[in-house]
Amino acid sequence: QKEVEQDPGPLSVPEGAIVSLNCTYSNSAFQYFMWYRQYSRKGPELLMYTYSSGNKEDGRFTAQVDKSSKYISLFIRDSQPSDSATYLCAPRTGRRALTFGSGTRLQVQP
Amino acid sequence: DTAVSQTPKYLVTQMGNDKSIKCEQNLGHDTMYWYKQDSKKFLKIMFSYNNKELIINETVPNRFSPKSPDKAHLNLHINSLELGDSAVYFCASSRDSGTGELFFGEGSRLTVL
């Protein structure tokens, strides 16, 4: 079993939709939960992160962590065509390098 | 002004050749990384340096040799290239080794024929 699992997609939604992107993980030592966004032929960039369980909101984006079920979610409200990208979850402990999921490709149709 | 820059962006070469990829960051960060992204978009850590010292060395063939002449530069040399080395190689940097906020370059796409 991989440490981090993501549905590769693609996930295609109409503009304005609410998007839910999800990850599961197996290592209970993970404490920080990062979300990176990667546009085609570009490097990943940090979108947001949370520490431990709970929610964090940043504009149209909300990150949610449920450590009891080892489940991570990223919600995008009022999705825009510019949100079309691959979204990578990356949980980590305080010491190790990031462990990336394989990413979910999102397409927002105008 | 590019924060993390890699050269070359594209590299097409024959099996058995040796090639290098260079990376420079102008963010003043202490830690630099090499990641490999395969055709399925899986991004895997290869190496990490903190202030020129190797701190992460994942299970990577010893044909891959990183080198950090100073903390702003991290190069990757690959000997005897194989078909399976074809991938996008990303350089990244972070303020220190304890943060998960990485700044990535645009990647170097290596194709081995």
Side-chain angles (χ1 to χ4, degrees), chain B residues 14-34:
Chain B
Q14 300 287 331
M15 267 197 318
N17 284 352
D18 303 338
K19 290 294 177 186
S20 292
I21 307 171
K22 296 186 175 182
C23 179
E24 176 182 2
Q25 54 96 3
N26 63 7
L27 297 167
H29 288 168
D30 284 347
T31 308
M32 295 185 73
Y33 310 81
W34 279 112

Side-chain angles (χ1 to χ4, degrees), chain A residues 44-99:
Chain A
E45 56 180 347
L46 181 65
L47 191 59
M48 61 190 303
Y49 73 94
T50 56
Y51 173 71
S52 195
S53 282
N55 292 0
K56 184 175 181 179
E57 189 174 317
D58 185 0
R60 296 184 295 110
F61 298 87
T62 300
Q64 192 173 79
V65 177
D66 182 347
K67 290 190 76 178
S68 63
S69 57
K70 298 189 178 69
Y71 198 80
I72 315 166
S73 299
L74 178 71
F75 299 97
I76 308 174
R77 290 186 302 281
D78 187 25
S79 55
Q80 302 294 310
S82 58
D83 296 328
S84 298
T86 297
Y87 290 80
L88 303 140
C89 66
R92 65 185 289 264
T93 66
R95 300 177 185 179
R96 285 175 54 190
L98 291 177
T99 304

Side-chain angles (χ1 to χ4, degrees), chain B:
Chain B
D1 196 19
T2 306
V4 181
S5 58
Q6 300 178 226
T7 54
K9 282 189 168 52
Y10 299 95
L11 196 50
V12 181
T13 189
Q14 300 287 331
M15 267 197 318
N17 284 352
D18 303 338
K19 290 294 177 186
S20 292
I21 307 171
K22 296 186 175 182
C23 179
E24 176 182 2
Q25 54 96 3
N26 63 7
L27 297 167
H29 288 168
D30 284 347
T31 308
M32 295 185 73
Y33 310 81
W34 279 112
Y35 278 85
K36 178 181 180 181
Q37 189 170 48
D38 61 24
S39 57
K40 294 186 179 180
K41 300 296 185 185
F42 185 52
L43 197 62
K44 188 172 179 182
I45 181 73
M46 299 174 71
F47 303 103
S48 177
Y49 274 75
N50 188 62
N51 265 319
K52 301 194 297 176
E53 183 181 341
L54 182 66
I55 58 171
I56 293 174
N57 185 358
E58 291 292 312
T59 307
V60 174
N62 57 16
R63 298 181 294 103
F64 290 79
S65 51
K67 188 171 182 180
S68 181
D70 55 63
K71 74 174 192 177
H73 295 85
L74 180 60
N75 304 323
L76 183 66
H77 187 75
I78 316 169
N79 289 326
S80 303
L81 279 157
E82 299 178 358
L83 293 177
D85 297 332
S86 296
V88 182
Y89 293 84
F90 284 100
C91 177
S93 73
S94 63
R95 185 185 70 242
D96 54 55
S97 60
T99 177
E101 185 175 7
L102 271 57
F103 292 78
F104 283 84
E106 294 210 333
S108 297
R109 185 174 295 269
L110 172 64
T111 303
V112 182
L113 303 175

